[in-house]
Amino acid sequence: MNADIEAIKQVIAAVERSQNNEDPDEFLALFRDDAIWTTGGGKRLFGLEEIAAFTRQVLPGGMKDASVTFELEHVLFIRPDVAAVKVRQIYRTAEGPDVGTPLWVLAEENGRWLLTACQNTGAPSDDPARPIFAPRTTTGHSDLTREA
């Protein structure tokens, strides 16, 4: 696996960790200053200041009796320093799992991949037990590598 895929996986892991630990500072450190974030409820946030205000309001206490996992599903490198990243998120609560299918655009700046334009979308009909990586022989994208 190449270094860019590994770095993107680390961003995904940091989002998961920061949400499960209810750590707004770790979460907010993953964004560009001019980022766009759309919540699962459709709230559109423009710029780190708006994202921070929202996050500091909802994240502390937001994971009470819940946990979330994020899994890398697909990466499309738009340019060497810009990637569209498809993620599968599963919130686990006492009521059962809630599946989402975020799309995060990340940009590499000064050696760091940063969340840039992100859309969180629910996927209520998606089976949380469905494997992420099924063979994709027709598209050839299942290995998550990029051509050199």
Side-chain angles (χ1 to χ4, degrees):
M1 239 176 238
N2 72 32
D4 291 323
I5 296 291
E6 278 306 313
I8 289 168
K9 284 182 174 182
Q10 291 305 310
V11 172
I12 294 167
V15 171
E16 179 179 309
R17 185 176 52 250
S18 66
Q19 287 194 7
N20 283 320
N21 293 329
E22 298 183 350
D23 185 342
D25 292 329
E26 181 181 18
F27 180 69
L28 295 168
L30 302 169
F31 287 89
R32 281 174 42 133
D33 287 342
D34 60 351
I36 300 167
W37 181 266
T38 303
T39 70
K43 185 170 183 65
R44 294 172 303 280
L45 305 167
F46 300 97
L48 187 55
E49 189 174 313
E50 281 187 20
I51 296 167
F54 177 81
T55 300
R56 292 188 191 290
Q57 180 181 30
V58 300
L59 190 55
M63 296 302 294
K64 185 176 188 283
D65 301 321
S67 66
V68 65
T69 57
F70 292 93
E71 300 173 76
L72 177 61
E73 191 167 24
H74 186 79
V75 174
L76 169 65
F77 286 94
I78 299 166
R79 297 187 330 215
D81 62 340
V82 177
V85 179
K86 201 64 182 148
V87 180
R88 183 169 182 218
Q89 91 188 3
I90 303 175
Y91 282 96
R92 290 180 174 78
T93 67
E95 292 80 38
D98 181 15
V99 181
T101 178
L103 175 64
W104 299 342
V105 176
L106 279 71
E108 184 183 27
E109 295 185 3
N110 300 317
R112 288 187 62 215
W113 285 93
L114 298 172
L115 297 169
T116 302
C118 306
Q119 171 78 41
N120 192 354
T121 304
S125 63
D126 197 358
D127 179 359
R130 175 184 62 84
I132 289 288
F133 296 109
R136 294 185 185 138
T137 56
T138 58
T139 61
H141 297 293
S142 63
D143 65 358
L144 293 176
T145 59
R146 93 174 168 198
E147 307 262 335

